[in-house]
Amino acid sequence: MQRSVQLIRGIDNQVVEAVLLTLAQNHIDDFENLWKEQLRLYGQEDKYWDWLFKKRISISRDNYESYAIEYQGKTQGLLWIETQQHRSQVEVGHRLIYIEALASAPWNRRAIQRPPELKGVGTLLLNFARFRSLDLGYEGRVALHALPGAERFYDSRNMMNFGADSDKEDLIYFEYGRLRR
Protein backbone atom coordinates (compact mmCIF):
# COMPACT_ATOMS: atom_id res chain seq x y z
CA MET A 1 0.00 0.00 0.00
CA GLN A 2 1.27 3.43 -0.91
CA ARG A 3 -0.57 6.72 -1.23
CA SER A 4 0.45 10.32 -1.68
CA VAL A 5 -0.43 12.63 1.22
CA GLN A 6 0.08 16.30 2.00
CA LEU A 7 1.80 17.80 5.02
CA ILE A 8 2.77 21.36 5.88
CA ARG A 9 6.40 22.41 6.16
CA GLY A 10 6.79 24.20 9.49
CA ILE A 11 9.29 26.84 8.50
CA ASP A 12 7.20 28.41 5.71
CA ASN A 13 3.78 26.71 5.90
CA GLN A 14 4.17 25.35 2.38
CA VAL A 15 2.27 22.19 1.45
CA VAL A 16 4.61 19.30 0.64
CA GLU A 17 3.97 15.86 -0.83
CA ALA A 18 4.76 12.90 1.41
CA VAL A 19 3.95 9.20 1.14
CA LEU A 20 1.88 6.98 3.45
CA LEU A 21 2.91 3.36 3.09
CA THR A 22 3.09 0.01 4.82
CA LEU A 23 5.70 -0.05 7.59
CA ALA A 24 9.02 -1.42 6.32
CA GLN A 25 12.45 -2.12 7.79
CA ASN A 26 13.81 1.32 6.81
CA HIS A 27 11.11 2.95 8.96
CA ILE A 28 12.09 0.80 11.94
CA ASP A 29 15.73 1.69 11.30
CA ASP A 30 14.84 5.40 11.26
CA PHE A 31 13.03 5.00 14.60
CA GLU A 32 16.03 3.21 16.13
CA ASN A 33 18.74 5.44 14.63
CA LEU A 34 17.10 8.88 14.24
CA TRP A 35 14.19 9.04 16.68
CA LYS A 36 14.99 7.00 19.77
CA GLU A 37 17.81 9.06 21.26
CA GLN A 38 15.92 12.34 20.75
CA LEU A 39 12.80 10.83 22.32
CA ARG A 40 14.88 9.72 25.30
CA LEU A 41 16.65 13.09 25.63
CA TYR A 42 13.34 14.97 25.65
CA GLY A 43 11.63 12.49 27.99
CA GLN A 44 8.97 11.47 25.49
CA GLU A 45 6.57 8.76 26.64
CA ASP A 46 6.98 6.62 23.52
CA LYS A 47 10.78 6.39 23.73
CA TYR A 48 10.74 2.65 24.50
CA TRP A 49 8.21 1.57 21.90
CA ASP A 50 9.41 -1.43 19.92
CA TRP A 51 8.40 -0.89 16.30
CA LEU A 52 10.18 -4.07 15.14
CA PHE A 53 7.90 -6.06 17.46
CA LYS A 54 4.87 -4.14 16.17
CA LYS A 55 5.88 -4.92 12.57
CA ARG A 56 6.33 -8.62 13.38
CA ILE A 57 2.84 -8.76 14.92
CA SER A 58 1.43 -7.02 11.82
CA ILE A 59 3.05 -9.64 9.57
CA SER A 60 2.01 -12.65 11.66
CA ARG A 61 -1.60 -11.65 12.44
CA ASP A 62 -4.18 -10.49 9.95
CA ASN A 63 -5.90 -8.19 12.47
CA TYR A 64 -2.90 -5.84 12.89
CA GLU A 65 -1.60 -3.32 10.39
CA SER A 66 1.33 -0.92 10.53
CA TYR A 67 2.06 2.17 8.46
CA ALA A 68 4.61 4.95 8.06
CA ILE A 69 4.76 8.41 6.53
CA GLU A 70 7.89 9.28 4.57
CA TYR A 71 9.07 12.65 3.36
CA GLN A 72 12.35 13.05 1.47
CA GLY A 73 13.33 9.48 2.34
CA LYS A 74 12.95 9.99 6.10
CA THR A 75 10.28 8.49 8.37
CA GLN A 76 7.99 11.23 9.70
CA GLY A 77 5.29 9.23 11.47
CA LEU A 78 4.32 5.69 12.50
CA LEU A 79 0.96 4.01 13.08
CA TRP A 80 -0.01 0.58 14.42
CA ILE A 81 -3.68 -0.44 14.42
CA GLU A 82 -5.83 -3.42 15.38
CA THR A 83 -8.75 -4.02 13.02
CA GLN A 84 -11.03 -6.78 14.35
CA GLN A 85 -11.16 -7.26 18.13
CA HIS A 86 -12.23 -3.89 19.55
CA ARG A 87 -15.77 -2.57 19.95
CA SER A 88 -17.23 0.90 20.32
CA GLN A 89 -18.23 2.37 23.66
CA VAL A 90 -20.31 5.00 21.85
CA GLU A 91 -22.30 2.53 19.75
CA VAL A 92 -21.95 -0.60 21.83
CA GLY A 93 -21.06 -3.72 19.93
CA HIS A 94 -19.97 -2.03 16.70
CA ARG A 95 -16.44 -2.80 15.52
CA LEU A 96 -13.85 -0.09 15.25
CA ILE A 97 -10.22 0.51 14.42
CA TYR A 98 -8.16 0.58 17.61
CA ILE A 99 -4.97 2.63 17.46
CA GLU A 100 -2.35 0.69 19.37
CA ALA A 101 0.38 3.26 18.68
CA LEU A 102 0.66 6.55 16.82
CA ALA A 103 3.90 8.54 16.77
CA SER A 104 5.28 11.58 15.04
CA ALA A 105 9.04 12.00 14.51
CA PRO A 106 10.73 14.07 17.25
CA TRP A 107 11.47 16.97 14.88
CA ASN A 108 7.72 17.19 14.10
CA ARG A 109 6.69 17.64 17.74
CA ARG A 110 6.14 21.15 19.06
CA ALA A 111 7.33 19.99 22.50
CA ILE A 112 10.76 19.33 20.95
CA GLN A 113 11.10 21.70 18.00
CA ARG A 114 9.43 25.02 17.16
CA PRO A 115 8.46 25.31 14.47
CA PRO A 116 8.20 21.60 13.80
CA GLU A 117 9.80 20.41 10.55
CA LEU A 118 6.43 19.13 9.35
CA LYS A 119 2.94 19.88 10.67
CA GLY A 120 -0.01 17.55 10.44
CA VAL A 121 1.69 14.15 10.76
CA GLY A 122 -0.33 12.99 13.77
CA THR A 123 -3.57 14.35 12.35
CA LEU A 124 -2.93 12.65 9.03
CA LEU A 125 -2.32 9.29 10.73
CA LEU A 126 -5.44 9.71 12.86
CA ASN A 127 -7.50 10.56 9.77
CA PHE A 128 -6.03 7.58 7.93
CA ALA A 129 -7.29 5.33 10.74
CA ARG A 130 -10.77 6.77 10.14
CA PHE A 131 -10.51 6.09 6.41
CA ARG A 132 -9.33 2.56 7.14
CA SER A 133 -12.37 2.17 9.41
CA LEU A 134 -14.60 3.23 6.51
CA ASP A 135 -12.81 0.76 4.20
CA LEU A 136 -13.58 -2.07 6.61
CA GLY A 137 -17.25 -1.09 6.99
CA TYR A 138 -16.85 0.30 10.53
CA GLU A 139 -18.30 3.67 9.51
CA GLY A 140 -15.30 5.72 10.69
CA ARG A 141 -15.22 4.43 14.27
CA VAL A 142 -11.76 4.70 15.84
CA ALA A 143 -10.53 4.46 19.44
CA LEU A 144 -7.33 4.62 21.45
CA HIS A 145 -5.88 5.10 24.90
CA ALA A 146 -3.74 8.24 24.95
CA LEU A 147 -0.41 8.69 26.64
CA PRO A 148 -0.71 11.62 29.09
CA GLY A 149 1.37 13.91 26.87
CA ALA A 150 -0.96 13.32 23.91
CA GLU A 151 -4.33 13.85 25.62
CA ARG A 152 -4.61 17.48 24.51
CA PHE A 153 -3.91 16.47 20.91
CA TYR A 154 -6.84 14.02 20.84
CA ASP A 155 -9.11 16.46 22.68
CA SER A 156 -8.29 19.08 20.04
CA ARG A 157 -9.26 16.59 17.31
CA ASN A 158 -12.76 16.38 18.79
CA MET A 159 -12.49 12.78 19.90
CA MET A 160 -14.90 11.86 22.68
CA ASN A 161 -13.06 11.66 26.00
CA PHE A 162 -14.30 8.81 28.22
CA GLY A 163 -11.85 9.50 31.05
CA ALA A 164 -9.34 7.24 32.73
CA ASP A 165 -9.58 3.51 32.05
CA SER A 166 -8.51 1.47 35.08
CA ASP A 167 -8.01 -1.57 32.81
CA LYS A 168 -5.38 0.36 30.80
CA GLU A 169 -3.13 1.94 33.45
CA ASP A 170 -5.61 4.82 33.87
CA LEU A 171 -4.86 6.11 30.38
CA ILE A 172 -7.64 8.28 28.94
CA TYR A 173 -9.87 6.45 26.47
CA PHE A 174 -10.80 8.42 23.34
CA GLU A 175 -13.18 7.44 20.59
CA TYR A 176 -14.61 8.69 17.32
CA GLY A 177 -18.12 7.47 16.69
CA ARG A 178 -19.68 6.75 13.32
CA LEU A 179 -19.11 9.40 10.65
CA ARG A 180 -22.38 11.08 9.77
CA ARG A 181 -22.82 11.87 6.10
Side-chain angles (χ1 to χ4, degrees):
M1 196 273 325
Q2 182 171 329
R3 78 170 56 161
S4 179
V5 295
Q6 294 183 332
L7 296 169
I8 299 168
R9 199 168 42 214
I11 196 138
D12 58 8
N13 288 322
Q14 291 298 306
V15 174
V16 297
E17 293 293 319
V19 181
L20 175 71
L21 60 172
T22 303
L23 184 70
Q25 186 60 48
N26 63 303
H27 306 123
I28 296 163
D29 293 345
D30 281 356
F31 178 82
E32 292 295 324
N33 300 320
L34 303 175
W35 293 32
K36 208 169 194 173
E37 183 60 18
Q38 284 189 51
L39 295 176
R40 190 189 65 72
L41 281 173
Y42 287 93
Q44 299 296 291
E45 297 161 312
D46 57 338
K47 62 185 171 268
Y48 296 119
W49 284 359
D50 185 343
W51 285 94
L52 179 58
F53 172 77
K54 294 171 185 352
K55 176 63 177 169
R56 286 183 179 146
I57 296 292
S58 298
I59 291 170
S60 65
R61 296 189 191 163
D62 65 353
N63 61 315
Y64 284 91
E65 300 173 5
S66 50
Y67 300 94
I69 294 176
E70 264 184 36
Y71 175 67
Q72 295 184 332
K74 195 161 72 170
T75 306
Q76 303 296 330
L78 298 166
L79 176 68
W80 187 41
I81 59 175
E82 195 285 321
T83 62
Q84 297 171 24
Q85 297 175 343
H86 291 81
R87 301 288 186 267
S88 174
Q89 289 188 19
V90 175
E91 298 168 83
V92 178
H94 289 274
R95 282 188 174 177
L96 52 69
I97 293 290
Y98 183 81
I99 297 176
E100 296 282 355
L102 186 155
S104 187
W107 49 86
N108 296 327
R109 299 180 187 197
R110 284 186 177 90
I112 295 175
Q113 183 171 314
R114 285 183 183 258
E117 236 176 79
L118 294 171
K119 299 176 188 176
V121 173
T123 301
L124 195 144
L125 290 169
L126 186 59
N127 289 339
F128 174 73
R130 287 204 93 177
F131 290 127
R132 192 71 188 102
S133 174
L134 289 169
D135 289 345
L136 293 172
Y138 302 164
E139 302 180 283
R141 293 181 193 89
V142 172
L144 57 88
H145 286 86
L147 293 172
E151 291 168 5
R152 225 169 68 210
F153 172 78
Y154 296 110
D155 270 328
S156 72
R157 298 310 175 277
N158 297 315
M159 291 188 84
M160 288 176 266
N161 180 330
F162 285 81
D165 183 345
S166 59
D167 292 335
K168 277 284 214 180
E169 302 170 10
D170 286 326
L171 295 175
I172 304 295
Y173 178 80
F174 287 92
E175 185 174 322
Y176 279 132
R178 175 170 55 101
L179 276 171
R180 310 255 184 238
R181 294 185 187 211

